[in-house]
Amino acid sequence: MDSKKIHELPGKTIERLSQYRRILYNTINQGKANVYSHELAKMMNLTSVQVRRDLMLIGYSGSQSKGYIIKDLVKLIGSIIDSDKPLNVAIVGMGNLGRAITSYFSGKRDRLSIVAAFDNDTQKTKRIIAGVPCHHIHSIAEIAPKEDIRIAILTVAPEGAHEAARLIINAGIKGILNYTSVPLTVPENIYLVEYDIITSLEKLAFMVKHEPDNH
Amino acid sequence: MDSKKIHELPGKTIERLSQYRRILYNTINQGKANVYSHELAKMMNLTSVQVRRDLMLIGYSGSQSKGYIIKDLVKLIGSIIDSDKPLNVAIVGMGNLGRAITSYFSGKRDRLSIVAAFDNDTQKTKRIIAGVPCHHIHSIAEIAPKEDIRIAILTVAPEGAHEAARLIINAGIKGILNYTSVPLTVPENIYLVEYDIITSLEKLAFMVKHEPDNH
DNA sequence: ATTCACCTGTTATTTTTTTCACAAAATTAA
DNA sequence: TTAATTTTGTGAAAAAAATAACAGGTGAAT
């Protein structure tokens, strides 16, 4: 597809592309080679039109008879959302959440790999945890450039969030995925995605509370 | 506010309300009593107009001189997004992620409380983990009604996701927050929120990859 | 061969969400 | 008092996202 246009993909589409791909991996494992937009839609809980529109935006065409060829589609999505060379990621805060994310990743992606973890608990540092070497947080400025770490996943306790973010930015890392409940304010040139675990639960609670019947 | 209108609150606004409140708790702890829309906006990484509009929609008025009274605003947000009586939540899958969420919650909310956990590992069942009693997944149909569990947070391994979801629905639970990487398809009368950990990371990776300079 | 059912791709429309623009109120300073 | 500043609240406009509508292709059934 026209690379000039990639920048203009709607944010929501990018998010869905990532999800399409994961679902498509599953269906490949089930022995399917092709998939229709309405099948993909059902699995994603959205409409087939939306699926077709997303694929249209990335310039992928299916066939009227067989729908989409899963293998090709997965490859195309990869060419859009993956980095050319692997993008290295660090976990900052190796508690339960940090470990959960790390083990989710282990052996899953090759384009996006967790190469290091950082923590301030010396019990955890200088060891390998969940397959990833865990360093002391104060060595991040030294290790990040060496390991070419581009993204940090922030999973520390709330008290430490600001300080950890400061150290991350100071280490030259430009992307932060914030899983803590503390909202961060970062300089213009830093990419920040807030990912708050509680928000979606409260949204669900709101739905359960307010529409108990007619849903 | 007019309770008839609550249903019509935009989905995005509901999500933000939850976040406003958490930020406001922080600012109370810092000794602030009032806050301006632009301050709140900065902390949330959005614009002051958006803050004012959200508050307008829930019918809260501030003053031109002092902005918003934090205590009142927190209370009003609570009256909208919290349940009248506490809403009971269960964790299904007491791995790292389940424990991370549980410990995040412990002692935090009173309107939304984790009252039970379920797992299929008998090493984990019949014990208290992270302050919550952990039962075998097969007893969920028995325990859910007894404990009035309304929401399940699904944090099992991918292989078990569908089966666990089936058991949850079978137990009469109407709200599912799915943290697994497996997309679920549920009946019409079940509220499902998908919360995929990887999606936001790939979105961030996309941003870091595609706009390295001029950001 | 023709009809039918069922796809995809895409334009047009609608809905939702955000942003703009500005009036009105309160405060501060001179 | 008066002018300047700063804030909220909100109608109107713009932008983003989702949905509807439909043209056109493909294969299967009769």
Side-chain angles (χ1 to χ4, degrees), chain A residues 90-106:
Chain A
I91 299 277
V92 178
M94 209 49 171
N96 281 319
L97 184 55
R99 281 197 296 274
I101 294 173
T102 306
S103 39
Y104 180 92
F105 258 79
S106 62

Side-chain angles (χ1 to χ4, degrees), chain A residues 6-7 11-12 14-15 18-19 21-23 26 42-43 45 79-84 87 96-97 99-101 103-105 109 112 150-151 153 175-177 179 181 183-185 188-212 215, chain B residues 6-7 11-12 14-15 18-19 21-23 26 42-43 45 79-84 87 96-97 99-101 103-105 109 112 150-151 153 175-177 179 181 183-185 188-212 215:
Chain A
I6 291 182
H7 288 265
K12 297 280 180 185
I14 294 166
E15 288 176 18
S18 164
Q19 297 171 321
R21 181 167 64 170
R22 222 162 21 264
I23 287 175
N26 286 347
K42 176 134 194 223
M43 294 186 276
N45 293 310
S79 78
I80 293 166
I81 67 178
D82 289 333
S83 308
D84 308 329
L87 207 64
N96 281 319
L97 184 55
R99 281 197 296 274
I101 294 173
S103 39
Y104 180 92
F105 258 79
R109 297 270 173 286
L112 209 53
R150 307 285 295 279
I151 290 177
I153 302 179
I176 299 177
L177 180 54
Y179 273 94
S181 57
L184 297 178
T185 310
E188 276 285 313
N189 64 329
I190 303 292
Y191 295 94
L192 173 68
V193 172
E194 297 275 351
Y195 205 80
D196 183 51
I197 284 193
I198 304 307
T199 302
S200 51
L201 182 55
E202 292 192 332
K203 186 180 180 186
L204 183 60
F206 181 86
M207 297 192 302
V208 170
K209 175 191 172 192
H210 284 283
E211 283 151 286
H215 177 60
Chain B
I6 291 182
H7 288 265
K12 297 279 179 187
I14 293 166
E15 288 175 18
S18 164
Q19 297 171 320
R21 180 167 65 170
R22 223 165 17 268
I23 287 175
N26 285 349
K42 176 134 194 224
M43 293 185 276
N45 294 310
S79 78
I80 292 166
I81 67 177
D82 290 332
S83 308
D84 308 329
L87 207 63
N96 280 320
L97 184 56
R99 282 198 296 274
I101 294 174
S103 39
Y104 179 91
F105 258 79
R109 297 271 174 285
L112 209 54
R150 307 285 296 279
I151 290 176
I153 303 180
I176 299 177
L177 181 54
Y179 273 94
S181 57
L184 298 178
T185 310
E188 275 284 315
N189 64 329
I190 303 292
Y191 296 93
L192 173 68
V193 172
E194 297 277 350
Y195 205 80
D196 183 50
I197 283 192
I198 304 307
T199 302
S200 51
L201 182 55
E202 292 192 332
K203 185 179 180 186
L204 183 60
F206 181 86
M207 297 192 302
V208 170
K209 175 191 172 194
H210 284 281
E211 283 151 287
H215 176 62

Side-chain angles (χ1 to χ4, degrees), chain A residues 1 5 12 34 38 46 50-51 65 73 76 84 87 95 101 103-104 106-107 110 114 143 151 157 160 172 184 193:
Chain A
M1 73 172 289
K5 290 285 176 56
K12 297 280 180 185
N34 304 282
H38 68 263
L46 34 85
Q50 200 158 44
V51 170
S65 46
L73 182 51
L76 177 60
D84 308 329
L87 207 64
I101 294 173
S103 39
Y104 180 92
S106 62
D110 50 344
I114 297 180
I143 290 170
I151 290 177
L184 297 178
V193 172

Side-chain angles (χ1 to χ4, degrees), chain A residues 27-194:
Chain A
T27 58
I28 285 178
N29 291 340
Q30 289 161 22
K32 285 192 75 151
N34 304 282
V35 69
Y36 294 120
S37 60
H38 68 263
E39 293 174 312
L40 203 41
K42 176 134 194 223
M43 294 186 276
M44 292 271 297
N45 293 310
L46 34 85
T47 68
S48 63
V49 192
Q50 200 158 44
V51 170
R52 291 202 300 277
R53 164 154 303 251
D54 283 337
L55 300 193
M56 183 190 96
L57 290 173
I58 65 171
Y60 184 74
S61 283
S63 86
Q64 282 90 346
S65 46
K66 298 287 182 184
Y68 305 99
I69 299 164
I70 298 178
K71 206 161 59 66
D72 292 355
L73 182 51
V74 162
K75 195 187 262 178
L76 177 60
I77 292 176
S79 78
I80 293 166
I81 67 178
D82 289 333
S83 308
D84 308 329
K85 50 178 190 173
L87 207 64
N88 292 334
V89 178
I91 299 277
V92 178
M94 209 49 171
N96 281 319
L97 184 55
R99 281 197 296 274
I101 294 173
T102 306
S103 39
Y104 180 92
F105 258 79
S106 62
K108 279 256 176 63
R109 297 270 173 286
D110 50 344
R111 293 299 178 180
L112 209 53
S113 66
I114 297 180
V115 297
F118 296 91
D119 205 295
N120 66 353
D121 179 352
T122 49
Q123 295 246 310
K124 288 179 188 153
T125 56
K126 311 216 174 185
R127 303 202 288 122
I128 299 217
I129 300 178
V132 171
C134 186
H135 311 276
H136 194 279
I137 179 71
H138 284 129
S139 59
I140 190 171
E142 180 195 338
I143 290 170
K146 203 158 60 188
E147 297 275 353
D148 190 26
I149 293 168
R150 307 285 295 279
I151 290 177
I153 302 179
L154 190 56
T155 51
V156 301
E159 311 84 74
H162 279 122
E163 173 68 0
R166 197 182 62 75
L167 291 170
I168 289 167
I169 293 168
N170 199 48
I173 294 170
K174 291 282 190 290
I176 299 177
L177 180 54
N178 180 22
Y179 273 94
T180 77
S181 57
V182 180
L184 297 178
T185 310
V186 300
E188 276 285 313
N189 64 329
I190 303 292
Y191 295 94
L192 173 68
V193 172
E194 297 275 351

